[in-house]
């Protein structure tokens, strides 16, 4: 049975300390991102991330960079996004994968299609993932994505009407039953449909989660992602006032329920992503891409050991692009040791840490360079060794899910710091 044991509590405490210490970025003097490593371009191992920061309404639990939709501002934003993409091409980058996040990425379907068409004309794109929501599953919109979007990820969060009302999604997207019907009609139009569920809402019981999972098994989407409820400190206080306090012990029990409920119908892709058996597998982009370029306001890039953020101000972003600059605003360089520790977490989260991969990709000896980390994880029962590779135990899967959650909460703090400085004219 998965429990909040000493090793999980200790590692989560260390993760909070690490993210608070290391996820502070300083202003960058760069006007453009650095040029790519020629070998990386040849291997096509970069990911291109595009951020669309507009929503019709703003969810209280969301920490991402987003603004209320205004058509004129959004149209100009898409034009600037395409200009920044051209700058990325001029630097010499190439990509085989694109991920579009938001915000509501499909808030202007025609502009999104135009942007994806440009990406495919500039780069050797093989796979495009795009986030969406239940309000943008109209057949006409999905038909326009054919040949453009390979994997559509729909944020459902829950089919339980009580939960949907508490988090403000019932009024915005309708009932769980209405959402189920929209998903049912959307399956098969695009190659892969992924459903996002969130678990461990305050007062969520195992019975409520089981019902969500049973509906998923009936629906049979190509993929399912089950995130634990996570939020930055400010959003956490809002959630506590509106829907209650999160119970971490309950989180471990609910996660165990997810693994048990899905084992006959879905294959794990990572600690929180699953592929329906018989469906095409689309691996976790965060696991497979150790370096990525982000374009758009509030996007992140990680290149050659340095984390960069673009400006979170729509006004400043537009000014930078019009002046022939990219959106980069802040940065932080990390040591090789820090990068290896991060990759160990990410790859065990993805199901396997390969000694061969560490040697080939990072010029590192997994056992020597991360001896202390591996020893602790083995002694605490979170990983086991098979051949030259390491795999998470069932308890370890929850540990790495918890660590990834803490990392994302740390990234939310970066977003909060950036958004706190925004004035009315920046939005």
């Amino acid at each position: 049975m998965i429990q909040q044991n000493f090793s999980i509590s200790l590692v989560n405490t260390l993760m909070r300390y690490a993210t608070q210490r290391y996820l502070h970025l300083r202003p960058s003097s760069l006007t453009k991102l650095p040029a790519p490593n020629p070998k990386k371009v040849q291997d096509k191992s970069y990911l291109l991330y595009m951020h669309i920061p507009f929503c019709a309404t703003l969810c209280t639990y969301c920490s991402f960079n987003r603004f209320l939709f205004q058509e004129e501002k959004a149209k100009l934003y898409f034009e600037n996004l395409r200009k920044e993409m051209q700058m990325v091409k001029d630097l010499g980058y190439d990509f085989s994968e694109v991920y579009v996040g938001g915000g509501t990425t499909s808030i202007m379907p025609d502009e999104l299609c135009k942007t994806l068409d440009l990406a495919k004309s500039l780069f050797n794109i093989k796979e495009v993932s795009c986030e969406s929501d239940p309000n943008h599953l109209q057949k006409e919109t999905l038909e326009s994505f054919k040949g453009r979007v390979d994997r559509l990820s729909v944020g459902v969060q829950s089919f339980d009407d009580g939960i949907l009302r508490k988090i403000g999604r019932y009024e915005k997207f309708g009932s769980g039953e209405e959402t189920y019907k929209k998903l049912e009609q959307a399956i098969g139009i695009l190659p892969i449909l992924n459903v996002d569920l969130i678990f461990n809402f305050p007062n969520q019981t195992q019975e409520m989660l089981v019902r969500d999972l049973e509906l998923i098994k009936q629906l049979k989407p190509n993929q399912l992602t089950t995130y634990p409820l996570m939020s930055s400190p400010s959003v956490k206080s809002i959630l506590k006032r509106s829907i209650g306090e999160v119970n971490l012990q309950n989180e471990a029990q609910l996660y165990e329920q997810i693994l048990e409920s899905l084992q006959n119908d879905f294959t794990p892709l990572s600690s929180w992503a699953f592929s329906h058996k018989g469906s095409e597998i689309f691996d976790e982009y965060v696991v497979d891409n150790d370096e990525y370029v982000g374009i758009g306001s509030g996007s992140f890039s990680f290149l050659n050991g340095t984390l960069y953020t673009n400006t979170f101000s729509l006004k400043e972003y537009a000014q930078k692009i019009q002046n022939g600059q990219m959106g980069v605003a802040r940065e932080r360089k990390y040591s090789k040791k820090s990068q290896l520790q991060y990759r160990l977490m990410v790859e065990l989260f993805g199901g396997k840490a390969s000694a061969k991969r560490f040697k080939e990709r990072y010029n590192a000896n997994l056992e020597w360079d991360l001896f202390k980390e591996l020893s602790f994880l083995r002694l605490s029962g979170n990983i086991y060794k098979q051949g030259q590779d390491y795999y998470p135990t069932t308890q370890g899967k929850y540990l790495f899910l918890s660590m990834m959650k803490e990392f994302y909460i740390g990234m939310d703090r970066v977003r909060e710091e950036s958004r706190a400085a925004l004035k009315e004219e920046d939005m």
Side-chain angles (χ1 to χ4, degrees):
M1 181 177 177
I2 300 172
Q3 297 180 350
Q4 279 281 344
N5 63 21
F6 172 75
S7 65
I8 292 174
S9 299
L10 175 61
V11 170
N12 281 343
T13 300
L14 292 173
M15 279 296 297
R16 289 186 203 110
Y17 169 78
T19 56
Q20 289 170 6
R21 178 178 179 183
Y22 293 112
L23 287 178
H24 285 291
L25 284 66
R26 63 176 179 81
S28 176
S29 61
L30 297 179
T31 57
K32 294 184 179 180
L33 289 172
N37 180 325
K39 185 178 184 302
K40 282 275 184 180
V41 174
Q42 185 179 358
D43 294 341
K44 295 186 177 66
S45 53
Y46 289 107
L47 170 82
L48 176 63
Y49 175 82
M50 304 181 193
H51 192 71
I52 314 297
F54 298 101
C55 291
T57 59
L58 305 181
C59 297
T60 56
Y61 59 84
C62 179
S63 304
F64 286 90
N65 190 38
R66 74 275 193 271
F67 305 95
L68 281 173
F69 173 69
Q70 297 178 46
E71 184 172 349
E72 186 177 339
K73 281 187 176 181
K75 193 172 189 304
L76 175 62
Y77 180 85
F78 273 102
E79 291 173 3
N80 288 329
L81 189 69
R82 291 191 286 271
K83 289 177 181 177
E84 189 175 26
M85 191 193 306
Q86 182 65 59
M87 294 181 206
V88 171
K89 170 66 176 179
D90 294 342
L91 285 172
Y93 283 95
D94 197 7
F95 308 95
S96 59
E97 296 179 51
V98 173
Y99 194 97
V100 188
T104 304
T105 62
S106 50
I107 200 152
M108 296 186 78
D110 290 346
E111 289 293 329
L112 177 59
C113 288
K114 192 185 300 185
T115 304
L116 292 176
D117 287 344
L118 177 61
K120 291 199 170 190
S121 72
L122 293 178
F123 310 113
N124 290 297
I125 304 298
K126 300 294 187 296
E127 296 171 342
V128 175
S129 281
C130 188
E131 296 175 2
S132 189
D133 62 48
N135 280 351
H136 291 84
L137 294 179
Q138 300 94 337
K139 186 174 181 181
E140 181 182 356
T141 299
L142 297 182
E143 290 286 346
S144 72
F145 290 166
K146 279 187 174 180
R148 295 185 171 103
V149 176
D150 302 288
R151 176 180 179 267
L152 190 71
S153 187
V154 185
V156 172
Q157 321 318 13
S158 177
F159 294 104
D160 185 273
D161 289 346
I163 290 176
L164 295 176
R165 284 192 174 94
K166 284 184 177 180
I167 61 176
R169 289 180 67 91
Y170 188 94
E171 297 78 9
K172 185 175 181 180
F173 299 116
S175 68
E177 183 179 357
E178 290 171 320
T179 295
Y180 184 93
K181 289 178 179 177
K182 291 176 184 177
L183 292 167
E184 197 172 33
Q185 294 168 359
I187 288 177
I189 297 178
L190 298 175
I192 296 175
L193 182 78
N194 175 81
V195 174
D196 287 340
L197 292 182
I198 292 177
F199 68 95
N200 202 32
F201 288 103
N203 303 316
Q204 184 182 29
T205 64
Q206 286 196 8
E207 290 74 21
M208 293 161 70
L209 178 61
V210 166
R211 180 178 177 274
D212 277 353
L213 296 174
E214 287 300 320
L215 288 171
I216 286 293
K217 288 191 282 188
Q218 292 174 29
L219 188 65
K220 299 178 183 177
N222 307 92
Q223 292 188 348
L224 169 68
T225 307
T226 56
Y227 301 101
L229 182 65
M230 59 183 97
S231 55
S232 57
S234 66
V235 172
K236 188 175 181 179
S237 62
I238 294 171
L239 283 176
K240 185 177 179 180
R241 291 196 301 270
S242 60
I243 64 175
E245 193 164 9
V246 173
N247 182 331
L248 290 180
Q249 182 60 46
N250 195 45
E251 179 183 274
Q253 294 171 359
L254 292 176
Y255 181 66
E256 188 170 25
Q257 182 66 60
I258 290 170
L259 295 181
E260 181 181 328
S261 296
L262 297 179
Q263 62 183 341
N264 293 328
D265 300 274
F266 286 82
T267 302
L269 298 177
S270 71
S271 286
W272 63 35
F274 304 84
S275 177
H276 190 269
K277 290 181 178 178
S279 294
E280 179 183 355
I281 292 178
F282 197 107
D283 290 336
E284 275 271 328
Y285 75 94
V286 72
V287 176
D288 287 344
N289 296 277
D290 51 348
E291 293 195 276
Y292 47 90
V293 172
I295 60 174
S297 172
S299 65
F300 290 82
S301 301
F302 189 76
L303 301 166
N304 194 29
T306 301
L307 179 66
Y308 302 91
T309 66
N310 272 12
T311 176
F312 281 63
S313 162
L314 291 179
K315 179 182 177 181
E316 185 182 10
Y317 179 72
Q319 290 173 340
K320 282 176 172 285
I321 302 301
Q322 295 305 315
N323 290 331
Q325 301 177 8
M326 296 182 69
V328 60
R330 296 197 294 163
E331 66 178 72
R332 175 151 186 168
K333 178 75 175 178
Y334 296 95
S335 67
K336 182 177 179 180
K337 180 73 170 183
S338 297
Q339 294 176 58
L340 291 178
Q341 289 172 330
Y342 170 75
R343 288 311 307 176
L344 179 65
M345 174 191 73
V346 168
E347 298 196 10
L348 286 168
F349 166 82
K352 181 177 78 170
S354 165
K356 181 180 179 183
R357 180 182 172 104
F358 267 75
K359 183 65 177 176
E360 292 177 349
R361 286 208 172 188
Y362 317 118
N363 192 28
N365 185 305
L366 178 59
E367 302 234 327
W368 292 354
D369 293 329
L370 296 171
F371 174 78
K372 291 181 180 178
E373 292 82 354
L374 290 173
S375 297
F376 170 77
L377 291 170
R378 289 185 75 177
L379 290 171
S380 58
N382 287 293
I383 63 172
Y384 65 93
K385 187 177 182 181
Q386 186 171 313
Q388 296 301 308
D389 302 327
Y390 289 89
Y391 299 84
T393 61
T394 299
Q395 175 182 289
K397 288 181 180 180
Y398 177 66
L399 173 74
F400 299 117
L401 174 142
S402 299
M403 292 177 70
M404 190 62 73
K405 179 183 75 172
E406 291 296 334
F407 174 74
Y408 279 127
I409 290 172
M411 296 295 276
D412 282 344
R413 290 193 189 96
V414 176
R415 295 185 182 97
E416 277 193 347
E417 290 173 5
S418 299
R419 288 181 62 84
L422 297 183
K423 299 177 182 176
E424 186 67 31
E425 59 266 26
D426 293 312
M427 302 184 185

